[in-house]
Amino acid sequence: IAFAETGTVDADVTVEIRERGIYEVPVFRSDIAMDAVFSATALADALPSDAAPAWADARLYLGVQDTRGLADQLDVTVNGARLEMEPAAYEHDSSERYAAVPPSHLTLAAGRVEGLDNAGEPLTVAARFTLTGADRLSVLPFAKDTSVAMRSNWDSPSFTGGILPSDHTASDETLAGFEANWRVPYLARGAPGAGNRYILNQVSGYGARDMAVRFVQPTNPYQSVERALKYAAMFIGFVFLAYFLFEITSKARAHPAQYILVGLAQSIFYLLLLAFAERMGFDAAFAIAAGMTVSLISLYSVSVFRSLRTGLNAFAILSGIYALIYVLMRAEDHALLAGALASFTAIAVTMYMTRNVDWYGDKAPA
């Protein structure tokens, strides 16, 4: 196997949302232009001195993870001449060191290259094709020195893979979509430029050296609900703390079973939030689920403490608590600070309101 000396990829990616029931999936259509320059003597130089090259069996290989994503025929030229590409069959024979390219996670297409036995000039290869898929697009470093330029209309890319882009415009909110550029030099590639067939697996290891982007949905309701669940213990504690304050500042007493019912109502809030978020988005779902939960617990407080005023206080306090949850969901960079300050404030208010409570009932009357 001999890899290209230099290679470039130019990808123009169009992403759109496809719906299936209540689920949405970002799918892409990418027009890809690949150009590479091969050394005419790289294959011969990689062979042992006593080997006789079978130039009639020489093939140019191009691989994609799944050929079902090819939306059109491969348009491949070598030094300007069109090359016919066909699916590459492979039968493993461990006794043959120099054989067809072994399978990896790639599906390969191959085309027979003529005139390699007396080629003196570098081979210039150009490939043009359209690739479709979902969620993630990646490029392997197929040459000793590989450069990739990508453009897309998607505003929320996540750069993954083994190599991050050298520069990108994803953080520029004034631009629609993004542009990104990668470069993998020879040493960073981690594999020789020519050798036996097994070196392909060193390059094509999934996620190890690829240049990849995932098309993330920034308003994914499942991610938002998952973030809300991370604060569940703290906010259920806040409501229990509020109930405790209502109890010690009023003549009525709450039974442990009533605390359990209030806790169950708050737990069901997250189930309501997920169910509504699948249908109408996170913001509207949060408003509906929070409104139902706050109203239920506030009305229940009227019954438990035999006081309309306590119910109104519960409504105001619970509304503030759930408003704080929503703020934490949106303040990603300051969520920890806001949560810590809210917890400190809740304890401070509780200490202030209970400062004159006779916990043991043994204080003499004034």
Side-chain angles (χ1 to χ4, degrees):
I1 294 176
F3 291 92
E5 299 296 312
T6 60
T8 61
V9 177
D10 189 85
D12 193 353
V13 187
T14 302
V15 184
E16 62 180 14
I17 295 294
R18 296 285 179 86
E19 297 182 357
R20 185 175 181 85
I22 63 175
Y23 301 104
E24 296 181 343
V25 178
V27 299
F28 65 83
R29 181 182 180 90
S30 178
D31 295 323
I32 297 177
M34 300 178 66
D35 295 281
V37 177
F38 288 82
S39 169
T41 61
L43 277 176
D45 294 342
L47 295 175
S49 58
D50 57 346
W55 294 114
D57 294 330
R59 298 289 189 274
L60 174 72
Y61 290 93
L62 189 150
V64 296
Q65 186 176 1
D66 192 342
T67 52
R68 291 177 297 179
L70 291 172
D72 205 343
Q73 293 293 327
L74 291 173
D75 184 9
V76 181
T77 61
V78 178
N79 289 341
R82 182 177 176 81
L83 188 68
E84 294 295 330
M85 303 293 288
E86 298 179 350
Y90 172 77
E91 294 181 0
H92 179 67
D93 184 356
S94 59
S95 63
E96 297 182 10
R97 184 180 179 189
Y98 293 92
V101 176
S104 59
H105 72 278
L106 298 176
T107 304
L108 301 173
R112 181 178 176 182
V113 182
E114 304 286 350
L116 287 178
D117 51 343
N118 56 9
E121 298 295 329
L123 302 178
T124 301
V125 178
R128 305 290 184 267
F129 56 96
T130 299
L131 189 66
T132 61
D135 185 58
R136 186 178 190 270
L137 176 63
S138 65
V139 180
L140 291 171
F142 60 93
K144 289 183 179 181
D145 192 313
T146 308
S147 298
V148 177
M150 187 181 299
R151 296 171 301 280
S152 176
N153 64 329
W154 193 252
D155 292 326
S156 302
S158 175
F159 300 109
T160 60
I163 307 293
L164 294 178
S166 55
D167 61 85
H168 64 82
T169 62
S171 57
D172 191 341
E173 298 181 356
T174 64
L175 300 177
F178 73 92
E179 296 182 3
N181 297 282
W182 292 261
R183 185 189 171 207
V184 182
Y186 191 14
L187 291 179
R189 182 171 174 266
N196 62 52
R197 55 190 171 141
Y198 295 108
I199 64 174
L200 178 63
N201 293 326
Q202 298 176 11
V203 178
S204 60
Y206 185 77
R209 306 282 177 180
D210 60 339
M211 295 157 280
V213 59
R214 289 188 64 243
F215 304 104
V216 178
Q217 290 181 273
T219 57
N220 188 324
Y222 302 101
Q223 293 177 345
S224 299
V225 173
E226 182 182 3
R227 290 195 64 210
L229 282 170
K230 293 179 180 179
Y231 298 96
M234 182 175 70
F235 286 103
I236 290 175
F238 280 177
V239 175
F240 282 162
L241 191 58
Y243 249 63
F244 172 71
L245 291 176
F246 296 150
E247 183 176 350
I248 65 174
T249 56
S250 67
K251 296 180 180 180
R253 293 294 178 262
H255 191 273
Q258 293 171 319
Y259 278 93
I260 293 175
L261 290 174
V262 171
L264 289 175
Q266 289 182 275
S267 300
I268 294 175
F269 160 76
Y270 295 97
L271 182 61
L272 290 170
L273 179 61
L274 177 60
F276 285 120
E278 288 184 335
R279 299 287 180 177
M280 61 186 65
F282 181 78
D283 291 342
F286 190 94
I288 294 175
M292 292 173 63
T293 305
V294 169
S295 299
L296 175 62
I297 298 178
S298 299
L299 291 173
Y300 190 58
S301 299
V302 176
S303 175
V304 171
F305 298 107
R306 304 292 192 274
S307 171
L308 178 60
R309 180 178 179 180
T310 301
L312 294 175
N313 289 337
F315 183 85
I317 293 174
L318 292 176
S319 298
I321 290 174
Y322 280 91
L324 179 59
I325 297 178
Y326 184 80
V327 170
L328 291 180
M329 296 303 98
R330 290 294 175 255
E332 297 182 2
D333 296 335
H334 305 288
L336 179 59
L337 178 60
L341 291 176
S343 300
F344 180 83
T345 302
I347 295 299
V349 170
T350 303
M351 294 173 68
Y352 177 79
M353 294 185 66
T354 59
R355 68 191 185 282
N356 296 322
V357 173
D358 183 6
W359 298 102
Y360 294 101
D362 56 0
K363 288 185 179 180

